[in-house]
Amino acid sequence: MRTTIRIVISVLAGFLLMIPLGYVYGLLSWPTFHSWGLLHGGFFAAWPTLSILAYLMLGYLPFFTRVDNTPLLIVGLFWGLLLASFLGIGSYLNAATIYGLLAGTTVLVAALSFFARLGPGFALLAIAPVLFSKLDLLLDLMSSPPLADVLDNAYYAFRNIRRPLIATLAGWGLGSLARSRLSRSPSAE
């Protein structure tokens, strides 16, 4: 029962958190998640991400149980929002900026993976907003398009998330490798 209550509160809170998100992005003149961007499709990435964030934050209340590594997951989600925001306007950014964002993703996920003892699913949480931003393709499936159009849209969506996915998995691999190397006991020689 507590889990159901927590999920319902998280979904509603995620929706309501889009108001301050749009306000902050508008004040900072950042792309994608400002008020206009949220009204024109940005909510596909913002609402699920903010719902996950609310779910994690509810763990700090005594009524709900806290998820392991909650602060690290929250940092990953915030980075994911920034990444989705700026990759959403990727056609306006130069290659150095895009690769800088991807390198930052790799470093951040490596650091978070080093401290968190979670699997690759944790790493994917850092790019969850990027993945959620492609959910608008699901609306196309509701209109029963031909299979060729569905496959073309799926290929296009994968092509857009390929680089963040590779950067995230590389960061997870580096962080896990570093943690395993440091946790080994010294060998007797």
Side-chain angles (χ1 to χ4, degrees):
M1 183 66 178
R2 286 184 186 194
T3 304
T4 304
I5 293 170
R6 188 175 183 177
I7 290 171
V8 169
I9 292 172
S10 299
V11 170
L12 293 174
F15 182 77
L16 293 175
L17 283 172
M18 286 193 293
I19 296 168
L21 179 75
Y23 180 74
V24 168
Y25 268 68
L27 272 176
L28 297 173
S29 298
W30 285 357
T32 308
F33 297 125
H34 46 71
S35 299
W36 187 88
L38 287 172
L39 290 173
H40 291 88
F43 67 90
F44 280 111
W47 191 0
T49 304
L50 294 173
S51 294
I52 294 170
L53 177 69
Y55 184 87
L56 294 171
M57 296 295 284
L58 284 173
Y60 287 108
L61 297 177
F63 184 71
F64 302 110
T65 58
R66 189 164 48 169
V67 177
D68 290 340
N69 302 308
T70 298
L72 300 175
L73 295 172
I74 290 171
V75 168
L77 278 174
F78 276 123
W79 177 258
L81 275 174
L82 289 174
L83 185 67
S85 175
F86 287 101
L87 288 182
I89 60 160
S91 59
Y92 297 107
L93 300 176
N94 61 17
T97 304
I98 291 172
Y99 287 115
L101 287 169
L102 295 174
T105 302
T106 302
V107 169
L108 179 82
V109 170
L112 294 177
S113 298
F114 179 77
F115 293 109
R117 304 218 181 262
L118 298 172
F122 160 74
L124 293 178
L125 193 59
I127 61 163
V130 177
L131 300 174
F132 290 143
S133 67
K134 302 307 172 202
L135 283 180
D136 58 344
L137 295 176
L138 292 177
L139 291 178
D140 294 340
L141 296 177
M142 291 180 172
S143 63
S144 301
L147 181 61
D149 290 345
V150 171
L151 294 176
D152 187 45
N153 287 343
Y155 174 75
Y156 178 74
F158 177 73
R159 199 177 68 190
N160 286 338
I161 65 166
R162 180 184 57 212
R163 291 184 297 181
L165 183 65
I166 290 170
T168 301
L169 292 176
W172 172 75
L174 289 172
S176 299
L177 180 67
R179 185 179 65 237
S180 70
R181 298 292 264 172
L182 289 177
S183 67
R184 270 192 201 162
S185 60
S187 59
E189 294 185 17

